Amino acid sequence: MRARPEEALDVRWHFGDFTLRETQRRLERDGQAVRLGPRSFDLLLLLLQRAGQFVSKDELLSTVWAGVVVEDGSVRVHMSTLRKALGRPDDGDGCAEWITTVPLRGYRFNGRVRREVPDASPGAPPRSAPPSFARLPVRLSGLVGREADVEDVLASLESQRLVTIAGTGGIGKTSVAIHAVERYQLTHGAQVAFVDLAPLISRDHVLGTIARAVGAPADLPDALGAMTQCLAGRDVLLLIDNCEHVVDSLAPPVAGLLSALPRLRILATSREPLRVPGEYVLRLSALAIPDAQCLSLSEAMRWPAVELLVERARAAGAGGFVDSHGPLLAAISRQVDGIPLAIELVAARLGVQSIEDLARRLDSHLRLYALDSRAALPRHRTLAAALDWSVALLDDAELRVFRRLSVFRGRFDVASALGVTAGDMNQEAAFDALVSLVNKSLVFFDGSDTVAPYRLLDTTRSYAAELLARSDERPSLLQQHAAFMLDLMKAATEDLQELTEHAWSDRYAYRLDDVRFALDTCLVRQPDAGTAASLAIASAPLWFRLSEVSEYLGCIRAALDHVHRSPAPDRLAAGRLEIALYNALWHTGGALAEMTQACERALAGALEFQVPALEFQARWGLCALNITRGEYAPALRHAEILNDHAGRSHKPVTRNLSQRMLALASHLCGAFPNAEAHAREAAAVDEATRRHRDNAFQPDARTTAVAILARTLWIRGDGDLAMRTARQCREEAEALGHALSLCVALFWICPVAIWAGERTAARGCIDRMLQVTESRGFAYWHQWALCYDDALKLDEVVDRAAHVEEVRARLPALDGPRREMLATFCDEWIDDGLVARAMRGEAQWCTAEVFRSAGRRQERRDDAAGAEALYLRALALARSQGASAWEWRAARALDDLACAVPR
């Protein structure tokens, strides 16, 4: 086995007081060895390599116990041993426990991890844990006759960073690529990611598909930059499959990644080269075929095409072959030109047909086909003829199912297959036809896939789609497919509160390409404003869970345009689309004015048609927008209307949402006792409400309420309880594994740790918020993390005065809420605009702090009287609000002034 470049070095992983030496297989704590068994060591190493991400039990078993049959409980036993060896983290380690277990999801290492390679340059930043890559497809059969091709690919990857396996459809490009990548991974230890572009219907989806495959955010304006950051410093081999239909869109990002990442290699499969500078193209030929007519069986089997034919025939249930079959097997392999897909199609028939009969019928068919297809390339003619021949042997039910399955862009399950045959086919007959198509190699079945085991190969799907286009059922079938996807997305929405996030994604994430196709049908091919609107609304959870919000925004705009242009516009559907538009704009940094208009239009529709749920969503949006603009009094009025609405509702989730908004708005309006009461009520939420579909786009109900409570408690003067509540909130948010919920929790509790002077806890929270917001593309929350980072740097930088001045110079460019927050961290971080805002009563939650900081400014200007007046205003306001922390600060400022100015 070839050694990895780093294998001779002592790669080290640091967390807390621990250092894990990867090469020495040694764990140390403060330099002293910690005893770990080999399995426990391997478990810990894998968790460190995937720090912050869930690693499933199955993955742990397959990696740590590779090739060994063990009970599932082995992971649990060794994990218990590992926890005992590590003990509990210290307060400064940034987590409550080193390893978290979440049922149905797996195990996650929570601590901050730093990877060190001794020969790394001194200025190089520490590397984070590797991202979660899309795995290679499972190989269900061996590779026949391609050993030399695999070796060619491996040799090319040694000297080339971009290798493209080019060849006609059905020639075996994907199989060769997968085998080569598996061999490369074994010998080089590189990380491998798989990207399948076959299901894409638009070139616009290329970047997002690659980003998801390498664990990078797919919905960032600079997705290429996110991928570059994700892969920086790693030895990665990226396999990009089925590139031919998106070559023009694929070439620029491939060139960009290779330019930015010197340790990246890319292996692509395509029917044509990518035309990227530095590309090395390997042309894949058909399998070698016998050139002699009379061969014995053993002689024929020396040829790869015959070997594959026999192997696949036996797998299909064919009987034994004898010496007299040698010439027939050789003839069949020649007739299909050694093309693997054509061989598999023909071999499937040998399970139900004699070789003599098959050879005779195939010969007649191919000769007739050749006469009608002289313009096509020979190999294209052969594959099309083989497909024609296979399809000609289907009965009516099998043919109908085959062409209808072409509407699915990727994997599908039995229910989906039967869904597009419902109405005019007996379901048992349709299922039998599906099984028969699998047996005839026209439909691929992956037994290891428990969710959606069926799919059509790209070449076969194109052929089936052509058959469908020639039939008279295509328009109705496309409508049926769109209706089926609509029903499926409605079921997905209902399942949000029944399934864990991981289980929900397993069940529905692969449907995105089919949803795209169905929306394209309703918006472009066969415009249907009603179905387009309904599907766009129903599929919202899928788009948001997969971080494809920018693309979803385009779908919403298109659906709204179709609704408005309809002869009789459905204003209620338009209102629901407006709410979806608001949510999409919110997450993609849309303009506040457009978001406000969307909510106002949705509210008008809700009131016109008296739809309470839509009214509640619209008012919630308007309330949140008021808070974002710093308009807290209007936000509180909206929150009170929401509360009245919730009082008339029978839904616990509606009441909980209203309590959360009341807590938030009351806090920002300076009504701290009310904020505490509402936050406590909102925090007492049951599990069913937390997972309700109305919370699909919201951060977790409980952790958000607890976070608001923690900050409110600190301002009210109970610092110890506030810090305990903040720690509890972070622990719960981390355990959820939901990035948005964690960001919102950290947004509220970071200031608590800063105000309390808990620098270690504050740094842990801020670093975590910076990491999550940057990795997930949460630009809005990332700006807040930078704001908190500026505050903590007051105690960390060497030149404090320079840092204060640098931040103060940036104040005019910041929005009102962030300027308010900064004023509570440093009394020099105020400007005239913020003081005027406080004087108008528009920054209620921190007005006392703004007055105090303004008083400090007057002191520096030698205006003691003006300073005293401002301090007294701050003191009186803080007392009236029950803001004991602000009151204490104002009182201390008065005392300092009294000491400085003799009376």
Side-chain angles (χ1 to χ4, degrees), residues 740-781:
L740 180 60
S741 298
L742 177 59
C743 283
V744 173
L746 292 170
F747 161 76
W748 283 94
I749 64 180
C750 279
V752 177
I754 298 171
W755 293 331
E758 299 277 357
R759 295 191 186 97
T760 302
R763 175 47 64 198
C765 288
I766 293 168
D767 285 350
R768 182 70 169 127
M769 188 174 181
L770 284 167
Q771 180 259 320
V772 173
T773 55
E774 188 171 18
S775 66
R776 299 301 294 266
F778 296 153
Y780 174 77
W781 301 112

Side-chain angles (χ1 to χ4, degrees), residues 15 18 20 27 34-37 39-48 60 75-88 98-99 107 109:
F15 60 98
F18 293 93
L20 183 144
L27 178 66
V34 178
R35 293 187 62 184
L36 278 184
R39 301 294 188 192
S40 297
F41 183 92
D42 290 338
L43 283 174
L44 177 58
L45 177 58
L46 181 57
L47 290 172
L48 291 175
L60 290 170
V75 173
R76 187 170 59 252
V77 171
H78 283 79
M79 204 64 72
S80 176
T81 302
L82 189 55
R83 285 192 174 103
K84 289 177 183 177
L86 297 179
R88 293 192 63 80
W98 291 120
I99 300 170
Y107 301 86
F109 191 87

Side-chain angles (χ1 to χ4, degrees), residues 446-466:
D446 180 358
S448 66
D449 188 337
T450 60
V451 177
Y454 299 95
R455 67 183 174 94
L456 295 181
L457 298 178
D458 186 39
T459 304
T460 313
R461 183 174 62 246
S462 298
Y463 182 89
E466 180 62 28

Side-chain angles (χ1 to χ4, degrees), residues 409-484:
R409 305 305 304 173
R411 301 152 50 207
F412 56 90
D413 57 12
V414 170
S416 302
L418 299 182
V420 295
T421 60
D424 63 346
M425 285 190 71
N426 176 276
Q427 296 295 277
E428 287 189 14
F431 178 73
D432 290 342
L434 175 64
V435 172
S436 179
L437 290 170
V438 171
N439 292 333
K440 295 172 180 176
S441 295
L442 288 167
V443 173
F444 181 80
F445 176 78
D446 180 358
S448 66
D449 188 337
T450 60
V451 177
Y454 299 95
R455 67 183 174 94
L456 295 181
L457 298 178
D458 186 39
T459 304
T460 313
R461 183 174 62 246
S462 298
Y463 182 89
E466 180 62 28
L467 292 179
L468 181 65
R470 282 188 248 153
S471 73
D472 58 359
E473 61 184 6
R474 185 172 187 270
S476 62
L477 185 62
L478 291 181
Q479 291 176 346
Q480 193 172 347
H481 176 258
F484 178 78

Side-chain angles (χ1 to χ4, degrees), residues 309-584:
L309 176 61
V310 170
E311 181 185 292
R312 296 298 189 263
R314 285 171 175 163
F321 294 100
V322 297
D323 220 38
S324 61
H325 291 154
L328 294 174
L329 290 168
I332 291 171
S333 64
R334 283 196 300 273
Q335 286 170 323
V336 295
D337 288 337
I339 298 175
L341 179 57
I343 290 172
E344 298 211 12
L345 291 171
V346 171
R349 296 301 305 174
L350 287 173
V352 293
Q353 190 174 5
S354 72
I355 187 172
E356 293 84 2
D357 185 47
L358 183 142
R360 184 176 60 257
R361 292 176 181 274
L362 179 61
D363 180 63
S364 299
H365 176 81
L366 291 175
R367 279 190 286 104
L368 287 172
Y369 194 92
L371 293 174
D372 295 331
S373 309
R374 292 191 181 92
L377 292 174
R379 282 181 185 142
H380 288 168
R381 281 204 310 265
T382 302
L383 181 57
L387 284 166
D388 268 358
W389 177 78
S390 297
V391 167
L393 298 172
L394 300 180
D395 63 28
D396 183 63
E398 292 167 345
L399 179 59
R400 197 181 314 173
V401 172
F402 176 61
R403 62 176 178 250
R404 291 183 180 185
L405 292 177
S406 66
V407 297
F408 294 113
R409 305 305 304 173
R411 301 152 50 207
F412 56 90
D413 57 12
V414 170
S416 302
L418 299 182
V420 295
T421 60
D424 63 346
M425 285 190 71
N426 176 276
Q427 296 295 277
E428 287 189 14
F431 178 73
D432 290 342
L434 175 64
V435 172
S436 179
L437 290 170
V438 171
N439 292 333
K440 295 172 180 176
S441 295
L442 288 167
V443 173
F444 181 80
F445 176 78
D446 180 358
S448 66
D449 188 337
T450 60
V451 177
Y454 299 95
R455 67 183 174 94
L456 295 181
L457 298 178
D458 186 39
T459 304
T460 313
R461 183 174 62 246
S462 298
Y463 182 89
E466 180 62 28
L467 292 179
L468 181 65
R470 282 188 248 153
S471 73
D472 58 359
E473 61 184 6
R474 185 172 187 270
S476 62
L477 185 62
L478 291 181
Q479 291 176 346
Q480 193 172 347
H481 176 258
F484 178 78
M485 295 313 300
L486 174 58
D487 290 341
L488 190 70
M489 289 298 100
K490 289 178 178 177
T493 302
E494 293 297 327
D495 280 345
L496 283 171
Q497 63 193 95
E498 302 295 334
L499 301 175
T500 65
E501 183 175 355
H502 180 70
W504 191 92
S505 295
D506 278 349
R507 182 175 295 184
Y508 294 109
Y510 73 93
R511 299 285 193 175
L512 181 62
D513 289 306
D514 275 313
V515 171
R516 284 170 170 154
F517 185 71
L519 281 169
D520 193 56
T521 295
C522 300
L523 294 171
V524 180
R525 293 184 181 89
Q526 298 170 195
D528 180 347
T531 303
S534 298
L535 181 56
I537 295 165
S539 62
L542 184 66
W543 296 97
F544 278 85
R545 291 288 179 98
L546 297 182
S547 297
E548 294 285 0
V549 187
S550 293
E551 183 184 345
Y552 179 58
L553 178 60
C555 295
I556 291 296
R557 292 191 192 281
L560 265 171
D561 181 61
H562 274 65
V563 170
H564 291 320
R565 288 192 287 106
S566 298
D570 186 338
R571 294 195 301 279
L572 180 56
R576 293 195 167 104
L577 286 169
E578 296 285 3
I579 285 296
L581 177 65
Y582 155 73
N583 278 301

Side-chain angles (χ1 to χ4, degrees), residues 817-863:
R818 274 185 288 165
R819 283 166 37 223
E820 294 165 12
M821 181 61 71
L822 285 171
T824 70
F825 298 137
C826 175
D827 55 34
E828 296 181 64
W829 286 343
I830 64 164
D831 56 16
D832 292 338
L834 182 58
V835 174
R837 179 171 163 77
M839 292 291 187
R840 294 194 302 268
E842 295 177 356
Q844 301 95 313
W845 77 277
C846 67
T847 295
E849 277 292 272
V850 175
F851 286 163
R852 181 186 62 81
S853 296
R856 290 287 192 195
R857 187 172 67 173
Q858 293 308 108
E859 272 198 77
R860 290 191 291 271
R861 295 172 177 174
D862 296 325
D863 180 6

